[in-house]
Amino acid sequence: VQLQASGGGLVQPGGSLKLSCVASKSLKYYAIGWFRQAPGKEREAVSCISTNGDNTRYGDFVSGRFTISRDIAKNTVYLEMNSLKPEDTAVYYCAARDGTWFCPDYYTYWGQGTQVTVSS
């Protein structure tokens, strides 16, 4: 499967962005995760949604500010981000793993990333 992430941009602190991850195949068969990597830092997991779409998980730093969702008909997973902080600045990636998974330990397929910059 190929993944195309988009929706990043420059936003002021406290603002919102909605990222999209469009898959080339049906999401019915893939668990999806969102990750981010800031300059000089290791990549960290942001959120994930299970293959059946019933289960989601978020990194501790999210603190209720982000919501992951998916639209099967559009082969798209979204990451809605609210109350953004400067420390949320990073390149955000979506990833997929085929099979029945809930937040697997590794993902097989990766998108190209979209830049999110939170700054005044």
Side-chain angles (χ1 to χ4, degrees):
V1 64
Q2 293 181 327
L3 304 171
Q4 181 76 33
S6 63
L10 173 64
V11 63
Q12 292 187 343
S16 299
L17 281 174
K18 188 172 184 178
L19 306 183
S20 299
C21 176
V22 180
S24 61
K25 297 182 179 179
S26 175
L27 289 175
K28 291 181 181 179
Y29 310 109
Y30 297 89
I32 300 294
W34 281 99
F35 295 79
R36 70 184 188 183
Q37 188 165 21
K41 294 187 177 181
E42 292 189 353
R43 184 174 66 197
E44 62 180 343
V46 178
S47 182
C48 54
I49 186 166
S50 60
T51 306
N52 63 9
D54 289 344
N55 299 288
T56 60
R57 182 181 291 169
Y58 299 90
D60 291 341
F61 60 86
V62 171
S63 300
R65 300 179 297 130
F66 299 174
T67 303
I68 189 171
S69 62
R70 70 179 192 177
D71 186 333
I72 290 294
K74 296 182 178 180
N75 290 350
T76 302
V77 172
Y78 302 100
L79 183 68
E80 186 166 5
M81 305 186 295
N82 300 311
S83 302
L84 284 162
K85 307 174 182 179
E87 51 264 44
D88 293 318
T89 295
V91 177
Y92 284 70
Y93 300 88
C94 58
R97 183 171 176 183
D98 52 343
T100 302
W101 295 102
F102 174 42
C103 299
D105 292 339
Y106 71 89
Y107 290 80
T108 311
Y109 308 97
W110 291 81
Q112 86 291 357
T114 184
Q115 176 71 47
V116 171
T117 303
V118 185
S119 175
S120 55

